[in-house]
Amino acid sequence: MKQLLDLETPALLLDRDVMRANLTRMADRIHALGCDLRPHVKTHKSLDVLRDVKALSRLIGITVSTLHEADYFFAGGEKDILYAVGLTPGKVSHAATLIRAGCDLTVISDSPDAIEAIQAAARAEDVRLPVLIELDVDGHRSGVEPDGPELIEMARRIAASANLDLKGVMTHAGGSYDCRSVDQIRDHAARERGLTVGAAERLRDAGHDCPVVSIGSTPTAMFAEDLSGVTEVRPGVYTFFDLFQAGLGVARLSDIAVSVLGTVIGHKKEKGWVIIDAGWMAMSRDRGTANQPQDQGYGVVCDLDGRPIEDVYLGIANQEHGIVIARPGEPDLDVGRFPIGSRLRILPNHACATSAQHNRYEVLEDSRVVAEWPRTHFW
Amino acid sequence: MKQLLDLETPALLLDRDVMRANLTRMADRIHALGCDLRPHVKTHKSLDVLRDVKALSRLIGITVSTLHEADYFFAGGEKDILYAVGLTPGKVSHAATLIRAGCDLTVISDSPDAIEAIQAAARAEDVRLPVLIELDVDGHRSGVEPDGPELIEMARRIAASANLDLKGVMTHAGGSYDCRSVDQIRDHAARERGLTVGAAERLRDAGHDCPVVSIGSTPTAMFAEDLSGVTEVRPGVYTFFDLFQAGLGVARLSDIAVSVLGTVIGHKKEKGWVIIDAGWMAMSRDRGTANQPQDQGYGVVCDLDGRPIEDVYLGIANQEHGIVIARPGEPDLDVGRFPIGSRLRILPNHACATSAQHNRYEVLEDSRVVAEWPRTHFW
């Protein structure tokens, strides 16, 4: 069995026990509220991780952010897949290939204009596409207004399209990432549910079936107190958590299941710089905590057992060099604390972004490397 | 032959004619100054790109940022490889495997302490490692002072090590990225050369051979006026250029050879948002232009022919969603200008970071896709 010291660095570590606790906590919450999960797999993009997710929660299906993810997970045995990025006519052929192969693929749209073009492409492919209408519940990104006229117009167009089937409504309350307290997240979750269930009711009142009412973001899923009327919840980053979620109050540092293992490769003693071989290629360029009360730089530095070292952080990153420095207000780092060749673990700002920089997880149990789990990439 | 409209998006485009012009310009400059190139391949990580580099310039060898890159390029026929990140004892075994297979691998170090540990590891592997001493010419990152006592101490230790061979000195003038004018870059280049050649002379005066005097960064290589005493130059990003280099005055927008092709997937008319399927997963999270006079957001938006559209930029990026908005000071974007399904090309802040998010280049000649070139990744 490999030890952490045997790994060539940088390497992406996955603490399986921490992940399992995250999976169980979310599943318990959502199931207790009478709902099932359709977790977003864009965070991990790994069939091995999904196996643990399925062992610890009841899933309706999975959510993907690319059709490439759909290909990968369908090839691995997943059938019920929601592609949760607005479909364009140019991707209908790819979606049709999946459906013809037996995948229960559902797509989304938030545009009456797109519906016409997608219908034409679906007809050309001679395929039927199940469609959810995407709602905007918080001004975060995409979606039609839950209480506006476009919702009904979209449903009308989908119902009138020979190759499209209206399955329901979905939203992603990404605005929850801007909340400043747990109370705000709780309110955001109530708003997400209320507006989405309300939109479903409007569709039913207008004579449409609306079997699917799908919501989800990790913060709102963690603090929702009521999911009545909701049929599925789609959190993703809860699988691993990260510093951004910790800064939001949604997780503790000890809940973060992924970290990057690096080795000290140099010192700049007079500056108090410890240089490691994990730069932005290993961490990603994500600086999501920059605007939070606690700016974590490019990551929180931990010892080999994963214990945070509080007075320093990964303050600077080049492509293959990371620089560990004192946090603002702390005295300059005595570089002798981290000798050349010693190893550190770095907690990431954003688990989705950091994991995407690696082709595999080094899976830890009891600080031993028990497996290598591959992950998929690209489009 | 494929057209741009046939590609599934997002996709990484490489305009081969633009790249070739970049390669020729740099080669002409460096060769005219009497020097040869050892270009950094971390920007492209592609044997196909390297084939064009070799056709248009005289190379001494190549520079890599990871031993994985060394494996990939050695397997593709490259023999003379400089691994330009400080070696740690934990990577000696990997380096030894390459050397035993016939690779002329050279490594670097800037630490007297590391030398002892590397020597011990090299003895255990029964391998001889050629070593360059890394110099710090501008306080950018790593390296010993060119005029300090550590330089001579390192040379002494390397010379005393049974398994290490002192080959010379190298530096990377990364501080040139902070220059604010071409004049400053020119001065920086003179300083880089002067300090590095001076360090080589100090070593020779102390009785050491110093056959290799290696410098390089794209900005300093582009504006160096004298390379006497230098044996090789190691620029990388000049192959593709990017918005950061354009902001620095080192390239024009029309010199940028890579772009990301995206498709419009939605509109938020009331906000003036055009949503495309190229988010940070396709562009990277690099915001390197944020502190330049012209902040380019997540990228400059161009039409399908690559012509910049000046009043908008990719202002917001989520994982698989990018949002095109008006630049600050411009009126809100009329979303009707970019219909759903239409395509845009986005110029990246940082070619190394953006290219790393893709597994292949869609190679363009005369706006037609003439080839797919794979690239390598990870460690």
Side-chain angles (χ1 to χ4, degrees):
Chain A
M1 209 177 287
K2 275 198 290 188
Q3 307 288 328
L4 279 179
L5 290 172
D6 300 329
L7 295 176
E8 193 163 322
T9 54
L12 180 65
L13 309 180
L14 169 57
D15 190 316
R16 194 177 182 191
D17 294 330
V18 173
M19 176 184 76
R20 282 172 160 164
N22 295 340
L23 295 172
T24 299
R25 191 162 57 245
M26 180 65 85
D28 286 352
R29 280 194 53 79
I30 300 302
H31 299 338
L33 291 168
C35 215
D36 285 347
L37 285 161
R38 182 187 290 281
H40 211 313
V41 297
K42 76 183 175 73
T43 303
H44 56 79
K45 301 197 187 192
S46 160
L47 282 161
D48 294 299
V49 171
L50 185 62
R51 196 179 49 237
D52 274 4
V53 178
K54 292 170 79 170
L56 297 168
S57 17
R58 284 199 317 266
L59 305 197
I60 284 181
I62 63 170
T63 309
V64 299
S65 69
T66 67
L67 289 176
H68 173 78
E69 287 166 45
D71 290 339
Y72 166 82
F73 284 97
F74 178 64
E78 293 308 305
K79 219 165 164 280
D80 190 334
I81 300 177
L82 171 64
Y83 170 47
V85 174
L87 190 71
T88 52
K91 292 198 176 87
V92 168
S93 166
H94 190 160
T97 301
L98 276 160
I99 290 170
R100 280 194 289 265
C103 181
D104 290 336
L105 183 76
T106 298
V107 301
I108 71 169
S109 181
D110 69 348
S111 159
D113 291 348
I115 291 299
E116 307 295 322
I118 292 168
Q119 158 60 27
R123 187 175 52 232
E125 291 284 341
D126 191 21
V127 72
R128 290 191 76 83
L129 285 177
V131 182
L132 300 183
I133 300 174
E134 186 177 14
L135 305 173
D136 181 1
V137 294
D138 57 10
H140 169 63
R141 190 170 60 203
S142 310
V144 300
E145 296 298 320
D147 47 8
E150 273 192 318
L151 174 69
I152 305 299
E153 173 61 17
M154 282 204 64
R156 196 192 61 72
R157 291 203 193 185
I158 294 169
S161 299
N163 296 75
L164 307 183
D165 290 321
L166 180 61
K167 286 261 301 264
V169 290
M170 64 82 74
T171 196
H172 165 63
S176 62
Y177 280 49
D178 299 321
C179 287
R180 284 282 169 254
S181 69
V182 163
D183 281 346
Q184 278 185 20
I185 298 173
R186 209 170 272 128
D187 290 348
H188 209 91
R191 179 185 167 80
E192 178 186 30
R193 186 205 75 83
L195 289 172
T196 308
V197 170
E201 282 163 8
R202 284 186 68 212
L203 290 181
R204 291 179 190 127
D205 288 347
H208 299 285
D209 281 342
C210 187
V212 176
V213 181
S214 175
I215 67 173
S217 78
T218 285
T220 53
M222 282 294 283
F223 290 102
E225 295 177 314
D226 174 17
L227 291 174
S228 50
V230 172
T231 63
E232 60 182 44
V233 183
R234 307 186 324 277
V237 77
Y238 79 100
T239 316
F240 295 160
F241 281 124
D242 53 32
L243 295 171
F244 185 89
Q245 297 294 323
L248 207 55
V250 176
R252 299 161 301 180
L253 289 190
S254 56
D255 297 325
I256 302 176
V258 286
S259 59
V260 173
L261 182 70
T263 302
V264 176
I265 61 174
H267 290 152
K268 292 295 272 186
K269 191 175 168 184
E270 68 286 3
K271 291 178 167 176
W273 284 8
V274 170
I275 302 175
I276 67 173
D277 62 359
W280 58 250
M281 191 64 88
M283 298 306 304
S284 91
R285 268 288 193 199
D286 196 288
R287 288 281 290 106
T289 58
N291 296 317
Q292 288 189 332
Q294 171 85 298
D295 181 349
Q296 304 286 19
Y298 284 94
V300 165
V301 177
C302 302
D303 65 17
L304 212 48
D305 295 322
R307 281 185 297 260
I309 302 169
E310 297 193 352
D311 60 328
V312 298
Y313 67 168
L314 193 67
I316 302 171
N318 300 150
Q319 186 157 341
E320 297 289 346
H321 298 77
I323 307 185
V324 177
I325 58 176
R327 284 183 183 270
E330 297 286 342
D332 274 2
L333 172 58
D334 168 11
V335 301
R337 286 166 58 193
F338 305 112
I340 288 172
S342 61
R343 292 179 169 219
L344 296 167
R345 288 167 66 170
I346 317 292
L347 301 178
N349 282 319
H350 190 168
C352 308
T354 300
S355 301
Q357 302 296 108
H358 297 263
N359 67 346
R360 64 185 184 278
Y361 302 94
E362 303 288 349
V363 182
L364 302 186
E365 289 179 9
D366 291 330
S367 295
R368 290 212 178 143
V369 183
V370 297
E372 259 186 23
W373 287 353
R375 47 167 289 148
T376 197
H377 290 85
F378 314 121
W379 293 274
Chain B
M1 209 177 287
K2 275 198 291 190
Q3 307 288 330
L4 280 180
L5 291 172
D6 300 330
L7 295 175
E8 192 163 321
T9 53
L12 180 65
L13 308 180
L14 169 57
D15 190 317
R16 193 177 182 190
D17 294 329
V18 173
M19 176 183 75
R20 283 172 160 163
N22 295 341
L23 295 172
T24 299
R25 191 161 59 244
M26 179 64 84
D28 287 352
R29 280 194 52 79
I30 300 301
H31 299 338
L33 292 168
C35 216
D36 285 348
L37 285 161
R38 182 188 290 280
H40 212 313
V41 298
K42 76 182 175 74
T43 303
H44 55 80
K45 300 197 187 192
S46 160
L47 283 161
D48 294 298
V49 171
L50 185 62
R51 195 179 49 239
D52 274 4
V53 177
K54 292 170 81 170
L56 297 168
S57 16
R58 283 200 318 267
L59 305 197
I60 284 181
I62 61 170
T63 309
V64 299
S65 68
T66 66
L67 289 176
H68 173 78
E69 287 166 45
D71 290 339
Y72 167 82
F73 284 98
F74 178 65
E78 294 309 305
K79 219 166 164 282
D80 190 334
I81 300 177
L82 172 63
Y83 169 46
V85 174
L87 190 70
T88 51
K91 292 200 176 87
V92 169
S93 166
H94 191 160
T97 301
L98 277 160
I99 289 170
R100 281 194 289 264
C103 181
D104 291 336
L105 183 75
T106 299
V107 301
I108 71 169
S109 182
D110 69 348
S111 160
D113 292 349
I115 291 300
E116 307 295 323
I118 292 168
Q119 158 60 27
R123 187 175 53 229
E125 292 283 341
D126 192 22
V127 73
R128 290 191 75 84
L129 286 176
V131 182
L132 301 183
I133 300 173
E134 186 177 15
L135 306 172
D136 181 1
V137 296
D138 58 10
H140 169 62
R141 188 170 62 203
S142 310
V144 300
E145 295 298 319
D147 47 8
E150 273 193 318
L151 174 69
I152 305 299
E153 174 60 17
M154 281 204 63
R156 194 192 63 71
R157 291 201 193 187
I158 295 169
S161 298
N163 297 75
L164 308 182
D165 291 322
L166 179 61
K167 287 260 303 263
V169 291
M170 64 81 74
T171 196
H172 165 63
S176 62
Y177 280 49
D178 300 321
C179 288
R180 284 281 169 254
S181 70
V182 163
D183 281 345
Q184 278 185 20
I185 298 173
R186 209 171 272 126
D187 291 348
H188 208 91
R191 179 184 168 82
E192 178 186 31
R193 186 204 75 84
L195 289 171
T196 308
V197 170
E201 282 163 8
R202 284 185 68 212
L203 289 181
R204 290 179 191 127
D205 289 347
H208 300 284
D209 282 343
C210 186
V212 176
V213 181
S214 176
I215 65 173
S217 77
T218 284
T220 55
M222 283 294 283
F223 290 103
E225 296 178 313
D226 175 16
L227 292 174
S228 51
V230 171
T231 62
E232 61 184 43
V233 183
R234 307 185 326 275
V237 77
Y238 79 100
T239 317
F240 295 160
F241 281 125
D242 53 33
L243 294 171
F244 185 90
Q245 297 294 323
L248 208 54
V250 176
R252 299 160 300 181
L253 288 191
S254 57
D255 296 325
I256 301 176
V258 286
S259 58
V260 172
L261 182 70
T263 302
V264 176
I265 61 173
H267 290 153
K268 292 293 273 186
K269 191 175 169 184
E270 68 286 4
K271 291 179 167 174
W273 284 8
V274 170
I275 302 174
I276 68 173
D277 61 359
W280 59 251
M281 191 64 87
M283 298 306 303
S284 89
R285 267 287 193 200
D286 197 288
R287 288 281 291 106
T289 58
N291 296 317
Q292 288 189 332
Q294 172 85 299
D295 181 348
Q296 305 286 20
Y298 284 94
V300 165
V301 177
C302 301
D303 66 18
L304 212 49
D305 295 322
R307 281 185 298 260
I309 303 169
E310 298 193 351
D311 60 328
V312 298
Y313 68 168
L314 194 67
I316 302 171
N318 299 151
Q319 186 157 340
E320 297 289 346
H321 298 78
I323 306 184
V324 177
I325 59 176
R327 284 183 183 270
E330 298 287 342
D332 273 1
L333 172 58
D334 168 11
V335 301
R337 285 166 58 193
F338 305 113
I340 288 172
S342 62
R343 293 180 167 218
L344 296 167
R345 288 167 66 171
I346 317 292
L347 301 178
N349 282 318
H350 189 169
C352 308
T354 300
S355 301
Q357 302 296 108
H358 298 263
N359 67 345
R360 63 185 185 277
Y361 302 94
E362 303 288 349
V363 182
L364 301 186
E365 290 179 10
D366 292 328
S367 296
R368 290 214 178 143
V369 182
V370 297
E372 258 188 24
W373 288 352
R375 47 167 287 147
T376 197
H377 290 86
F378 314 120
W379 293 274

